[in-house]
Amino acid sequence: MPTRYDAIIIGTGQAGPFLAQRLAKTGMKVAIIERKLFGGTCVNTGCTPTKAMVASAYAAHLARRAGDFGVTIPGPVSVDMRRVKERKDAISSDSRIGLEKWLKQMQNCTVYEGHARFASPQMISVGSEAITADRIFINVGGRALVPPMPGLDEVSYLTNSSMMDVDFLPPRLIVVGGSYVGLEFGQMFRRFGSEVTIVEMGPRLVGREDEDVSAAVADILTAEGVQLRLNAKCLGFAKRGDEIVARLDCDQGPNETSGTHLLLAVGRRPNTDDLGLEKAGVAVDARGYIVVDDQLRTSVPGIWALGDCNGKGAFTHTSYNDGEIVAANLLDNDPRRVSDRIPAYALYIDPPLGRAGLTEAQVRKAGRKALVAKRPMTRVSRAVEKGETQGFMKIVVDADTREILGAAILGVGGDEAIHCILDVMYAKAPYTVLQRAVHIHPTVSELIPTMLGDLQPLTD
Ligand SMILES: Cc1cc2nc3c(=O)[nH]c(=O)nc-3n(C[C@H](O)[C@H](O)[C@H](O)COP(=O)(O)OP(=O)(O)OC[C@H]3O[C@@H](n4cnc5c(N)ncnc54)[C@H](O)[C@@H]3O)c2cc1C
């Protein structure tokens, strides 16, 4: 006989554990299932370890620049990759172990370790066990996409997951993919000491950002010696001796590049192909993402999908927010929705990019009457004092309602400073509220009111 629960949660990523706690607190009998590492992508192979490594890379970069600050470091700066990995592993495992313990001690919650599969709309099998519930929450996340590419089967390659085991310096690293994951790894390995070539199929890096952001990101990376190969439309790979050769078919430069190691960072795919969704009748889209409505209900009553697997977000904060939305709807009589969420994220190259709301290009495309202001980081005292003046901040405002439509802060502290803009957007307050706020000196945020004083009509 299957064991009966009030709720089953599949996956311990960013939404599942929070939701387990909310449900269990009401007295519901909850089961949560994890097939591999507690905490999922963010804790084990995503945000936490990469940002720990970004911090090591920043330390190496700053040490090399010590002379700029009047500090003398006798001898060359070197990086001990084993210690970089040990530090990263310690930070990740603290988080993973803490979460596992917390879940295992949670009252009214039973943890299953194994691969979950639907046997029917209300029944899940985990190994030899079967469990049932009227409410099932899918939080299975995603993994690196490895699309078929000519010659890929002839060469060995890394993904964000296998990069976690790298405790040596790849002498010459080819990174395929010029978006968030590829750029973060690319810059950090350059700073560790690798020669790095970033290969991107599109005409510019981070193609979803405005062109000025892409150009400034490219400047930041090339200033550190990262090679960029854009427009690599016809990618293929081959082994040549000990080397990996990537055929590029670029518009410019020789049409191949070579390296000792290859990292694929070309996107993500949802972990929905081995979940038995067809046994439950849960609909997925053409790319395997589970189709959900604005309150995260799937096509089958009693089954919800949260986090990266529903394609509504691709970040830790969006997955966690999915858990809040479902909990609010089920437990608090509060009809929160995904559409209440303002897109916001950061790109953790150094200096980072903090982004909120619409890009300038999206505002133009929508044909909205808008005002725009921009300020280079060279005119931000805090950045000058810190000796980190790359990048700029930009904001776009609706000319009629005076509400802020979107902003980008590419520069030191940009990942934090963006929140004062984001919060005003959530408050739906006019930009003048922020313009009149008196911010602390010297900070990056203090220049946001000043920048708002320079708003100009967005012209063609
Ligand atoms: C390199 C990298 C860096 C990133 N950096 C950031 C960042 O800085 N900021 C940010 O916001 N986001 C970042 N992200 C994205 C972020 O990691 C994800 O958006 C987030 O982890 C998604 O969480 P989730 O809850 O959807 O699922 P996940 O965290 O992926 O968790 C899903 C869990 O479900 C388990 N599972 C899957 N299938 C089954 C099954 N059938 N049975 C049982 N268990 C199963 C998995 O083992 C996993 O533990 C990064 C991602 C990568 C790859």
Side-chain angles (χ1 to χ4, degrees), residues 10-16 33-48 50-51 114-117 139-142 160 164 181 184-185 268 271 274-275 306-309 313-320 346 348:
I10 308 174
T12 63
Q14 295 303 310
I33 312 164
E34 176 52 57
R35 71 176 175 189
K36 209 171 170 198
L37 298 174
F38 285 81
T41 309
C42 183
V43 167
N44 299 290
T45 59
C47 340
T48 305
T50 55
K51 267 81 260 182
H115 186 109
R117 278 190 183 80
N139 177 217
V140 292
N160 69 290
M164 296 298 113
V181 174
E184 289 177 15
F185 277 117
R268 309 279 300 162
N271 291 327
D274 51 4
L275 199 51
L306 303 86
D308 284 11
C309 69
F315 299 99
T316 283
H317 45 279
T318 50
S319 177
Y320 189 83
Y348 289 95

Side-chain angles (χ1 to χ4, degrees), residues 22 97 147 160 178 203 216 234 236 241 256 263 267 304 343-344 383 386 425 427 444:
R22 286 294 321 266
I97 293 165
N160 69 290
C234 173
E256 64 175 40
L263 165 65
W304 290 256
K386 291 185 106 174
M425 293 173 75
V444 172

Side-chain angles (χ1 to χ4, degrees), residues 51 137 141 145 161 179 197 230 244 274 284 292 314 323 364 368:
K51 267 81 260 182
F137 305 92
L145 172 73
S161 297
S179 197
T197 303
L230 307 175
I244 297 165
D274 51 4
V284 294
V292 289
R364 285 181 185 281
R368 291 175 82 149

Side-chain angles (χ1 to χ4, degrees), residues 102-165:
W102 180 66
L103 281 171
K104 287 185 172 168
Q105 286 166 6
M106 193 180 284
Q107 232 187 347
N108 298 330
C109 181
T110 305
V111 174
Y112 286 81
E113 290 181 67
H115 186 109
R117 278 190 183 80
F118 278 90
S120 76
Q122 293 179 334
M123 194 184 299
I124 302 289
S125 69
V126 196
S128 56
E129 302 196 57
I131 57 179
T132 62
D134 291 342
R135 302 172 198 85
I136 298 181
F137 305 92
I138 307 171
N139 177 217
V140 292
R143 60 186 187 272
L145 172 73
V146 181
M149 286 190 264
L152 196 56
D153 51 346
E154 289 171 30
V155 298
S156 53
Y157 60 85
L158 296 152
T159 64
N160 69 290
S161 297
S162 46
M163 277 307 264
M164 296 298 113
D165 300 328

Side-chain angles (χ1 to χ4, degrees), residues 353-403:
L353 167 70
R355 277 271 299 112
L358 302 175
T359 62
E360 182 185 328
Q362 286 169 327
V363 173
R364 285 181 185 281
K365 200 168 166 206
R368 291 175 82 149
K369 207 170 132 208
L371 306 171
V372 64
K374 192 170 168 180
R375 199 167 184 94
M377 294 302 283
T378 48
R379 289 177 59 204
V380 176
S381 308
R382 182 74 169 145
V384 174
E385 289 146 9
K386 291 185 106 174
E388 301 184 24
T389 53
Q390 289 165 309
F392 61 85
M393 52 173 81
K394 179 164 81 165
I395 194 159
V396 187
V397 165
D398 188 296
D400 298 321
T401 65
R402 302 199 295 170
E403 282 184 20

